[in-house]
Amino acid sequence: MGAYTGPVKSDGEINVLLVGSGDPRHILKTVVECPEKRNLHIWVVEKSMEVVARQLLLLYLTLIQQKKMGINEKTEVFLELFGNTEIRSQTAETLRQAASQLILSVTETTEDAMHPCLNTTILKFRERDELARIFKLWIQQPSPADSAPAMMPKAWDYRVRQHLGTRYDSRNGQFDWDLRMKLHEKGCGVISKQQYMQWRERGLAFEMREAVYQIPNPTLLSIRVFSQKGEKVGVRGYWGDIVSSPYLSFGVESDDKSLLKTQNGQHLKTAQDISFANMQGLFQSLSSRWGCVTTSPSDTEAEKEPTMSQQTSLCVNNLMLLSGVSVTFLPLDSLQKLPHKQKYCHYFNTIYFSANCVHQLGPMMRQIAAPDAVLVVELAKYILDLNKQQEAGFGEKVASLALEAGFEPCREDGTDGVHAVFVQQKK
């Protein structure tokens, strides 16, 4: 939905901190829009290791060389794993292969990352063990006697029933209301009724060919802890979005205005079409950036060729190296600790907070924000269960927290209501 690299210096590096971004759209868009001669370092803090695992998977798919997976196939596989509760058998096989390689990358004992865009070396050992455990779950093929194939539809239906309560029997009317009176009113008219209703009913957002979508997508399952009779119990299920839709990430905006054309008040393209075109464009741009890695402007050796371990991983994984780009995953509890580490003192040029991590935004940002840093915070526009007053209240809360952290609203920001952009207060 957007790329924010902050003020670009004529020299040096750009350091971006993403807090709770949840999926790689900001990473991909920022990489594509960053000038090629800059070194871009993206640091990621998430709320759970399941989300880190999905981020790693989607980045892994993105980096597969074109000769190993064509852009059309890559787009289909990416969107299926990104937004579908059930996937095709070919996609499941690609997932298993990717998970096998990712296990190697997170259990690697060397200090060098196997790939600069999949850098997990700073994570704690127990977090890397947890990632390996999650990837192994993705590889397991359910036996005929296993109930796993039925788990995803049941997990989805459980969430829908829980959310709607007594309205469950009239759910189609509720789905239609959410689409027309909420999403369409918020400018997402390109989301078609047929596709949205199918996603709300089954969790199937992207059906790009006549194929059988019936293998559960294990990457969407996670464990949530509940209190039962005074004891904490972990329940594995689907705990993600069941209202707003995956179309919001890649399917409601486009630089190609022909994709947004209407005729007689009807959109000619669907949110699925736009998602497909946008992802194709991103993958094409990333392929053109494929080159040798640069770690810093002064390191001329690194500019010439990757390290031996990186070369080895390229042979094993068949992944692209993106010139001057690195993505590093930080431990889950990093945000409180970064201000106390000398390395991150006045370090980040851009800091991004998702709506569900806003409560973590605080005065410690002053310690880690670089001079002239930009703060970007996701607003509550697409949290459809909030009314207009609650949405406005959320925006006021964000502005208040940003002020405490030493940031003021960006005067040049023509806000779209999706994000609020702040700049450091002038002293």
Side-chain angles (χ1 to χ4, degrees):
M1 296 281 278
Y4 303 95
T5 52
V8 177
K9 304 288 188 295
S10 58
D11 59 348
E13 303 171 341
I14 300 168
N15 287 288
V16 178
L17 175 65
L18 300 177
V19 182
S21 56
D23 66 61
R25 67 184 184 274
H26 298 300
I27 296 174
L28 300 180
K29 198 86 188 293
T30 302
V31 169
V32 166
E33 294 189 5
C34 181
E36 286 198 36
K37 292 178 181 174
R38 304 278 178 255
N39 281 332
L40 174 65
H41 301 290
I42 298 175
W43 306 79
V44 183
V45 180
E46 290 294 358
K47 293 179 74 175
S48 73
M49 294 319 294
E50 282 108 346
V51 177
V52 173
R54 259 177 66 84
Q55 287 264 41
L56 285 165
L57 168 70
L58 295 172
L59 286 171
Y60 179 95
L61 292 172
T62 298
L63 293 166
I64 295 175
Q65 293 178 22
Q66 208 167 320
K67 64 183 180 183
K68 294 293 176 185
M69 183 185 281
I71 284 180
N72 275 7
E73 183 188 355
K74 184 187 288 190
T75 303
E76 289 179 357
V77 170
F78 183 100
L79 288 175
E80 275 181 52
L81 288 168
F82 176 72
N84 285 7
T85 54
E86 294 176 291
I87 54 179
R88 295 173 297 146
S89 57
Q90 302 96 307
T91 302
E93 182 54 38
T94 302
L95 168 62
R96 284 190 285 271
Q97 291 171 3
S100 299
Q101 292 296 332
L102 287 167
I103 288 172
L104 295 177
S105 76
V106 299
T107 54
E108 182 66 45
T109 53
T110 62
E111 290 186 9
D112 291 330
M114 277 186 76
H115 192 285
C117 288
L118 304 174
N119 186 350
T120 56
T121 58
I122 298 180
L123 293 176
K124 297 172 183 175
F125 285 115
R126 70 169 181 270
E127 291 176 329
R128 289 162 69 176
D129 289 344
E130 175 69 2
L131 282 176
R133 185 192 68 78
I134 293 165
F135 295 139
K136 283 172 186 169
L137 278 176
W138 294 355
I139 292 170
Q140 289 172 3
Q141 297 212 34
S143 66
D146 197 346
S147 62
M151 183 178 182
M152 185 54 92
K154 283 183 179 176
W156 183 270
D157 187 61
Y158 170 78
R159 284 290 312 289
V160 175
R161 286 176 183 273
Q162 188 185 44
H163 178 72
L164 294 178
T166 55
R167 297 170 295 162
Y168 179 81
D169 290 338
S170 57
R171 60 190 178 280
N172 283 349
Q174 184 63 43
F175 297 163
D176 189 53
W177 174 268
D178 287 342
L179 177 65
R180 295 183 187 281
M181 303 308 294
K182 294 182 180 179
L183 282 169
H184 285 182
E185 287 293 312
K186 292 175 185 287
C188 302
V190 73
I191 300 178
S192 72
K193 180 176 178 179
Q194 181 186 353
Q195 287 180 350
Y196 181 75
M197 299 289 271
Q198 174 168 280
W199 176 75
R200 286 293 299 265
E201 186 68 43
R202 290 184 57 201
L204 216 57
F206 301 105
E207 277 192 293
M208 286 150 294
R209 55 173 68 210
E210 293 295 324
V212 180
Y213 293 80
Q214 62 182 24
I215 296 174
N217 179 358
T219 75
L220 287 177
L221 293 170
S222 60
I223 293 172
R224 179 173 280 189
V225 177
F226 293 91
S227 288
Q228 290 182 359
K229 297 177 182 175
E231 290 187 15
K232 291 190 173 180
V233 180
V235 180
R236 191 161 186 250
Y238 175 76
W239 309 113
D241 171 37
I242 56 164
V243 179
S244 299
S245 85
Y247 302 124
L248 294 177
S249 294
F250 302 106
V252 295
E253 295 175 354
S254 178
D255 294 331
D256 181 356
K257 298 308 172 195
S258 68
L259 292 170
L260 303 174
K261 279 185 179 176
T262 58
Q263 195 171 55
N264 300 324
Q266 298 294 312
H267 280 268
L268 299 177
K269 298 290 184 182
T270 65
Q272 175 177 292
D273 297 330
I274 294 170
S275 299
F276 194 88
N278 280 340
M279 291 313 302
Q280 273 189 320
L282 279 170
F283 292 150
Q284 195 70 57
S285 298
L286 290 169
S287 290
S288 69
R289 246 195 114 112
W290 177 18
C292 64
V293 67
T294 58
T295 52
S296 70
S298 60
D299 192 348
T300 52
E301 286 305 308
E303 288 179 18
K304 291 176 187 173
E305 60 182 36
T307 65
M308 185 58 70
S309 66
Q310 287 165 342
Q311 286 178 329
T312 306
S313 74
L314 279 174
C315 292
V316 173
N317 297 331
N318 300 303
L319 301 185
M320 298 183 284
L321 276 173
L322 302 178
S323 178
V325 175
S326 71
V327 180
T328 302
F329 289 86
L330 294 167
L332 302 184
D333 62 356
S334 287
L335 207 55
Q336 305 306 319
K337 296 181 178 180
L338 293 179
H340 305 294
K341 296 190 177 179
Q342 186 62 35
K343 172 181 169 65
Y344 303 108
C345 183
H346 304 304
Y347 187 73
F348 297 105
N349 306 101
T350 298
I351 300 171
Y352 168 89
F353 276 81
S354 68
N356 62 9
C357 287
V358 164
H359 61 282
Q360 293 182 276
L361 175 57
M364 76 285 189
M365 290 295 111
R366 297 171 192 263
Q367 296 296 112
I368 61 174
D372 298 322
V374 171
L375 171 68
V376 182
V377 183
E378 182 185 26
L379 297 174
K381 180 174 180 176
Y382 295 124
I383 303 177
L384 300 189
D385 289 336
L386 299 187
N387 60 36
K388 286 184 179 177
Q389 289 77 16
Q390 290 169 322
E391 192 183 320
F394 186 89
E396 290 166 12
K397 177 71 172 172
V398 165
S400 169
L401 289 169
L403 200 59
E404 285 178 32
F407 288 85
E408 61 188 13
C410 177
R411 302 295 172 210
E412 301 164 15
D413 176 38
T415 183
D416 54 2
V418 180
H419 297 98
V421 181
F422 302 90
V423 293
Q424 281 186 310
Q425 288 175 291
K426 300 297 177 215
K427 293 178 181 174

